[in-house]
């Protein structure tokens, strides 16, 4: 523009006066009778002072002074120009010229007046030239003070010229130029028009009018003025043709614009404006070749002038497309520094903003876009970016306002149409939104990008329609035989990922990476991958995470940050992956790395806070406070801070909690604040439910959590808290179901050990101690160094043993007593080992728990001593039962043998009887044969045989019946006894197997096989590494140092009960039926006293009173007696 460097045209026009004294690159200055020859090719070698003195001494006409100044100007020697011009209009020079006129004796008065007028004319021209030079230097000066000083100097010279000839046309032109600098365009037009009234061919005035018209957006009018200048002076400076090129470019006549710029460079190869104009046209081609050619032109312009704002801004844009965002910012900042044009400065801020935008530094990007629009409201691309920032912050009203202005300025901008249409849809203006999107498709029906934009507008509304539009876009690209842009494949991949179409998503994203890499360079292995391609790789990594391929995703994120060290999103995902793998140190390192790259990154700060929430609540609290200090409306940070402060409150002792009631009410206010800003925020509603539960309004809290669960099943905290509420209401099956469902549905959101601890607590309260023990064993398999879990396991084993020993003797068996004895021994070992571990830690909390372990240790030891008597008694009873069983077996064996002997004797008797009968028959037959005929003999033998058979039939049943009746009675009796013994043995084996199964954690990796092989083997107590895990106050009940004064009974046997056992062992009768009535703990003497454990309602329960333990089923695991309603670890 004229205001950015067109003033040399003005000087050169004036310099054409006095051309008669110039001959083929030489100027002759008369010096007496001789002449001084100045070779213009060697002008820089002369001493300017010598030239000035020669001109002054010989009173050389002012046009010669001006001509020499113009020659100096052409060579870029501005200092010499000013020295010549300033001296020519100095007081000494003017006095010498005026005296020369006065001393001319031959000149008449009229002639002298004419000479004086000519002198004044020439002085005005020089003054205007000098003023124009000062204005031009002021425009190029980045120092505001120096710039102001030069402008004031120009005004002074201009005023002086006005005082000499008020109506001189060039004075009006100079005044108009000054008004252009001050952006007073209407006043400038008036001055230029006044000049053109006097001189219609005044080139400076015409150029001024062209400048004003161009500034006002009247490019056709400006083009007419530039052509007029060209008609007046075809050999005018090349800069005039730059104006012609710029006007044609604005009018969309790209071929004519290119021809104009090429013509300028043919006349002046160092013209920076022409170089930047051609570079802009090449960049607009949006091709790699075009950008490469643009870069060459800009490098050439940069070598000519390294501080030209237009060149620097264009270089910044080129590097933006190349993905070199840091260089983009540096070049744009440099352009801003050396620019005096508001529009050029706005362009610099725009380039800075889009570089930050591409790196997701949204706060910095928004500020840059805002500054660009503030400096130049007509910069609609910056306004477009600002609208996008408003969208990212959820300020849709401000975004619509920005996009409406962009759409008004560029009605055919399909991006503005698409985004504005989408914004209308999101704000409920469906008719307007559909109208704009249909308009985009109507005007650009052969442009596949419109289908892409339609797909994007439907992505959140209807993924199916969005996918159909994307497919139409792909089909159109194929139909036009064009390559499908990698951005489209990326969108398709992301959409498929959202729809759960994993294989199709991966295929599309890999295509996007391949095409993006090719676009970044012909050789993908050597060229630098663009940031957009890195974003696609990031999407693939996210896809791997969704598939559970964490290692693969981690490797891909690492490759991204290796190529793009400032790609913060990948650092954040690496941190999340490490956190999921319980590698908290690695996760912390990644989040801190992201904050090093962008200390204002709230996302990274919140993720770091979430990480600390699992290890250090104080650090987590500080992280979220830092976020809220920068943005008080950050709902996530506010909810997370409230959750952390609630958890800190739960760690306090009861007395301290009462003092902190005011603080916990402030936590409730945070939830209410978020709910006021967003009435649909379920996480804030969950927080309100937590507060209600804290203040014992449990049923109301239950209703809230139930409604949240029904409204959105993804709010895992509500489901978990529902378990807490059910437990508080003693609805233990529902509580277990809620905990289990939360763990199954959201395995990544909850600490499995923590959930198992709550499940164990619920089973304990439900008096299902075996299940509580199994849950604790499972938890210990995953966290074997937790002193809290070991203490709870010891407490469960202790109470299991007490329950068994508190049973009536008729309900106990030797096996159950042995198991109770073993459980006591295991609990004793746990307490003993915990004492050593806690003593090494040495903290105040550790010492408190150590005292509790010591108390329980002593109690278990005392109970073990008493249990030995029970064990002896049960062993004696078992021996009796075994002896009776053996006797029964022996008696059964004797009866069996007796039966066999009787059967043998009977068989022998029958055989003997049969032998006698045979002999008798033979004898009788012999006698009969002798006295009778053969026929009679046969008849007699037949009769005898029949008689023998009848007798035999009578004799055998009679004998067998008599012999076996007694035997059968004995056998039946013995068989019944044997069956009873075998049944008892089988029951004992089944109980042993069940006991083994109960000790086995199920599907866990670590089994309890040793207990199955030998039921006498004790539970293995794994070593606990000192210093690894601290003791949490939240889950350990406080030990009461006082013993229950009301406890008058103990689980240990009294002397009277012991004497009864001794008598029973001797077979003596007691006054009571021992098997039916005697129970443990009815003695008169106390041998030991167990520590009193406070229950959930605040009442004390005497653990040493077995009868009370049997009656009271509301037991509480010591470590978790203070129930807590957990807030979500992912609130917001």
């Amino acid at each position: 523009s004229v205001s950015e460097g067109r003033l040399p045209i003005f000087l050169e026009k004036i310099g054409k006066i006095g051309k008669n004294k110039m001959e083929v690159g030489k100027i002759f200055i008369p010096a007496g009778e001789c002449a001084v020859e100045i070779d213009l090719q060697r002008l820089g070698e002369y001493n300017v002072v010598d030239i000035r003195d020669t001109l002054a001494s010989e009173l050389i006409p002012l046009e010669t002074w001006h001509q020499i100044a113009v020659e100096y100007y052409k060579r870029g020697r501005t200092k010499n120009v000013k020295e010549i011009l300033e001296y020519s209009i100095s007081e000494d020079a003017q006095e010498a010229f005026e005296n020369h006129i006065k001393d001319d004796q031959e000149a008449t008065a009229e002639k002298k007046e004419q000479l004086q007028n000519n002198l004044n004319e020439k002085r005005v021209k020089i003054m205007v030239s000098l003023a124009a030079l000062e204005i031009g230097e002021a425009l190029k000066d980045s120092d505001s003070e120096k710039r102001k000083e030069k402008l004031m100097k120009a005004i002074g010279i201009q005023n002086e010229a006005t005082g000499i000839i008020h109506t001189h046309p060039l004075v009006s032109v100079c005044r108009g130029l000054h008004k252009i600098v001050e952006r007073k365009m209407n006043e400038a037009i008036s001055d230029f028009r006044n000049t053109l009234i006097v001189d219609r061919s005044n080139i400076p005035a015409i150029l001024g009018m062209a400048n004003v018209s161009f500034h006002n957006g009247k490019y056709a009018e400006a083009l007419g003025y530039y052509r007029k200048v060209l008609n007046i002076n075809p050999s005018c400076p090349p800069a005039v043709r730059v104006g012609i090129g710029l006007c044609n470019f604005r009018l969309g006549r790209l071929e004519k614009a290119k021809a104009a710029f090429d013509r300028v460079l043919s006349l002046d190869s160092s013209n920076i404006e022409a170089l930047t104009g051609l570079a802009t046209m090449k960049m607009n081609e949006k091709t790699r070749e075009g950008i490469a050619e643009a870069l060459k032109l800009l490098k050439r312009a940069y070598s000519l002038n390294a501080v030209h704002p237009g060149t620097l801004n264009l270089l910044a844009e080129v590097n933006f497309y190349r993905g070199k965002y840091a260089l983009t910012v540096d070049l744009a900042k440099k352009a801003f520094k050396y620019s005096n044009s508001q529009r050029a400065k706005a362009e610099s801020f725009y380039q800075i903003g889009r570089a930050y935008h591409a790196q997701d530094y949204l706060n910095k990007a928004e500020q840059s876009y805002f500054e660009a629009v503030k400096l130049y409201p007509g910069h609609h691309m910056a306004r477009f970016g600002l609208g996008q920032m408003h969208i990212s912050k959820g300020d849709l009203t401000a975004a619509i306002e920005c996009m409406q202005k962009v759409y008004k300025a560029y009605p055919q901008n399909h991006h503005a149409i698409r985004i504005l249409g989408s914004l209308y849809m999101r704000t409920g203006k469906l008719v307007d939104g559909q109208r704009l999107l249909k308009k985009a498709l109507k005007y650009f029906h052969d442009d596949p990008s419109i289908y892409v934009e339609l797909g994007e507008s439907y992505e959140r509304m209807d993924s199916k329609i969005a996918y159909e539009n994307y497919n139409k876009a792909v089909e159109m690209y194929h139909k036009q035989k064009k390559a499908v842009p990698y951005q489209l494949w990326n969108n398709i991949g992301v959409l498929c990922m959202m729809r759960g179409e994993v294989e199709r998503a991966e295929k599309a994203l890999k295509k996007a990476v391949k095409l993006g890499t090719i676009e970044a360079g012909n050789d993908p292995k050597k060229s630098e991958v663009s940031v957009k391609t890195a974003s696609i790789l990031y999407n693939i990594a996210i896809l791997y995470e969704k598939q559970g391929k964490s290692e693969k995703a981690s490797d891909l994120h690492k490759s991204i940050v290796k190529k793009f060290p400032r790609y913060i999103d990948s650092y954040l995902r690496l941190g999340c992956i490490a956190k999921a793998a319980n590698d908290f140190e690695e996760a912390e390192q990644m989040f801190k790395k992201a904050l090093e790259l962008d200390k204002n990154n709230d996302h990274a700060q919140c993720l770091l806070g979430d990480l600390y929430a699992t290890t250090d609540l104080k650090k987590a609290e500080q992280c979220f406070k830092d976020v809220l200090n920068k943005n008080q409306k950050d709902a996530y940070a506010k909810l997370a801070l409230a959750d952390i402060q609630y958890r800190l409150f739960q760690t306090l002792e009861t007395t301290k909690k009462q003092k902190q009631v005011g603080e916990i009410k402030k936590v409730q206010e945070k939830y209410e604040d978020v709910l006021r800003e967003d009435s649909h925020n379920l996480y804030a509603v969950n927080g309100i439910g937590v507060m209600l539960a804290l203040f014992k309004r449990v049923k109301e809290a239950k209703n809230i959590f139930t409604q949240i669960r029904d409204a959105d099943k993804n709010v895992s905290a509500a489901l978990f808290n529902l378990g807490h509420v059910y437990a508080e209401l003693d609805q233990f099956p529902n509580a277990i179901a809620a905990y289990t469902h939360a763990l199954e549905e959201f395995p990544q959101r909850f600490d499995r050990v923590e959930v198992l601890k709550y499940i164990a607590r619920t089973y304990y309260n439900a008096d299902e101690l075996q299940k509580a023990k199994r849950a604790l064993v499972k938890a210990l398999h995953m966290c074997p160094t937790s002193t809290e879990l070991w203490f709870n396991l010891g407490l469960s084993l202790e109470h299991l043993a007490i329950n068994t020993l508190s049973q009536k003797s008729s309900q106990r068996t030797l096996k159950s007593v042995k198991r109770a004895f073993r459980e006591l021994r295991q609990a004793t070992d746990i307490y003993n080992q915990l004492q050593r571990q806690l003593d090494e830690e040495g903290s105040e909390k550790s010492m408190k728990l150590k005292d509790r372990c010591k108390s329980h240790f002593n109690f278990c030891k005392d109970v073990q001593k008493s249990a030995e008597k029970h064990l002896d008694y049960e062993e004696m009873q078992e021996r009796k039962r075994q002896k009776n069983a053996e006797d029964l077996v022996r008696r059964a064996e004797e009866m069996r043998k007796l039966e066999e002997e009787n059967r043998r004797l009977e068989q022998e008797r029958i055989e003997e009887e049969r032998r006698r009968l045979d002999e008798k028959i033979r004898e009788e037959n012999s006698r009969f044969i002798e006295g009778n005929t053969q026929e009679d003999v046969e008849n007699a033998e037949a009769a005898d045989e029949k008689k023998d058979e009848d007798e035999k039939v009578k004799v055998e049943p009679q004998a067998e019946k008599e012999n076996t009746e007694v035997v059968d009675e004995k056998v039946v009796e013995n068989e019944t006894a044997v069956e009873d013994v075998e049944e008892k043995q089988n029951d004992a084996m089944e109980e042993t197997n069940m006991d083994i199964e109960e000790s086995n954690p199920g599907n866990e990796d670590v089994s309890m096989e040793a207990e199955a092989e030998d039921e006498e083997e004790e539970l293995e107590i794994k070593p606990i590494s000192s210093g690894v895990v601290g003791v949490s106050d939240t889950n350990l009940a406080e030990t009461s140092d006082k013993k229950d004064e009301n406890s008058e009974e103990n689980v240990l046997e009294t002397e009277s009960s012991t004497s009864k056992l001794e008598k029973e062992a001797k077979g003596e009768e007691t006054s009571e039926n021992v098997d039916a009535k005697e129970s443990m703990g009815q003695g008169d003497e106390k041998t030991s006293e167990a520590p009193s454990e406070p229950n959930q309602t605040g009442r004390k329960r005497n653990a040493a009173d077995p009868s009370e333990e049997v009656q009271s089923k509301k037991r509480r695991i010591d470590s978790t007696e203070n129930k807590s309603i957990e807030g979500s670890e992912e609130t917001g």
Side-chain angles (χ1 to χ4, degrees), residues 910 914 947-957:
I910 291 173
R914 184 177 295 166
K947 184 179 179 181
D948 291 342
E949 289 178 359
D950 292 340
E951 289 179 358
K952 183 177 180 180
V953 169
K954 291 179 181 179
V955 171
E956 288 181 359

Side-chain angles (χ1 to χ4, degrees), residues 255-267:
E255 291 298 328
K256 292 184 177 181
K258 183 177 181 301
F261 292 141
D262 287 338
R263 177 59 176 162
V264 173
L265 291 175
S266 67
L267 297 172

Side-chain angles (χ1 to χ4, degrees), residues 62-328:
L62 290 178
E63 55 264 32
T64 303
W65 291 69
H66 192 274
Q67 183 181 359
I68 294 175
V70 169
E71 295 299 329
Y72 271 122
Y73 185 84
K74 287 180 178 179
R75 289 156 179 77
R77 303 176 71 88
T78 307
K79 184 178 180 181
N80 297 146
V81 174
K82 293 174 69 175
E83 192 170 354
I84 294 293
L85 294 181
E86 286 176 353
Y87 194 83
S88 68
I89 59 174
S90 64
E91 292 182 1
D92 293 340
Q94 294 309 311
E95 184 178 356
F97 282 119
E98 289 177 358
N99 290 334
H100 178 68
I101 294 173
K102 290 178 182 180
D103 294 340
D104 189 354
Q105 301 297 329
E106 297 179 358
T108 61
E110 184 178 354
K111 180 65 175 177
K112 289 181 179 181
E113 183 179 356
Q114 183 179 0
L115 290 172
Q116 185 63 44
N117 290 337
N118 289 337
L119 179 62
N120 291 339
E121 176 85 15
K122 294 170 184 176
R123 288 177 63 195
V124 167
K125 290 180 179 178
I126 290 178
M127 286 179 178
V128 169
S129 298
L130 188 57
L133 184 63
E134 292 292 346
I135 292 173
E137 287 190 343
L139 289 171
K140 296 177 182 178
D141 201 327
S142 59
D143 190 331
S144 59
E145 292 298 326
K146 291 182 179 180
R147 182 185 184 192
K148 185 177 180 180
E149 181 182 344
K150 290 177 181 178
L151 288 175
M152 293 302 295
K153 185 176 180 180
I155 292 174
I157 297 171
Q158 174 189 315
N159 291 337
E160 187 178 353
T162 303
I164 297 173
I165 304 177
H166 178 69
T167 59
H168 198 287
L170 292 180
V171 174
S172 296
V173 172
C174 186
R175 190 163 48 245
L177 291 175
H178 191 265
K179 295 292 175 44
I180 289 176
V181 175
E182 295 178 341
R183 300 297 172 187
K184 298 177 180 178
M185 298 299 174
N186 292 332
E187 295 180 19
I189 289 175
S190 178
D191 289 324
F192 294 140
R193 284 177 178 171
N194 292 335
T195 301
L196 292 174
I197 291 172
V198 178
D199 183 4
R200 297 181 61 183
S201 300
N202 189 291
I203 291 178
I206 297 172
L207 290 174
M209 289 296 293
N211 181 277
V212 174
S213 297
F214 189 92
H215 177 83
N216 292 333
K218 300 177 180 180
Y219 306 118
E221 186 178 305
L223 181 59
Y225 285 121
Y226 285 123
R227 285 177 174 170
K228 187 175 181 179
V229 172
L230 198 59
N231 292 332
I232 294 172
N233 184 10
S235 60
C236 64
V240 174
R241 299 181 185 274
V242 173
I244 294 174
L246 291 173
C247 290
N248 280 312
F249 177 78
R250 294 289 185 177
L251 292 169
R253 303 168 183 171
L254 302 183
E255 291 298 328
K256 292 184 177 181
K258 183 177 181 301
F261 292 141
D262 287 338
R263 177 59 176 162
V264 173
L265 291 175
S266 67
L267 297 172
D268 180 9
S269 60
S270 61
N271 190 290
I272 294 177
E273 286 76 11
L275 289 170
T276 55
L278 283 174
T280 303
M281 294 179 67
K282 290 295 182 183
M283 288 173 61
N284 288 342
E285 293 178 2
K286 303 293 185 182
T287 62
R288 292 187 55 80
E289 295 77 11
I291 292 175
E293 291 182 24
L295 186 59
K296 291 179 182 178
L297 292 168
L298 291 173
K299 286 181 177 180
R300 183 175 163 190
Y302 185 80
S303 64
L304 295 170
N305 186 354
V307 295
H308 190 279
T311 303
L312 292 171
N313 278 330
L314 285 172
L315 279 170
E317 186 171 1
V318 169
N319 282 284
F320 171 81
Y321 288 126
R322 297 173 68 199
K324 297 183 178 181
Y325 301 121
L327 185 56
T328 298

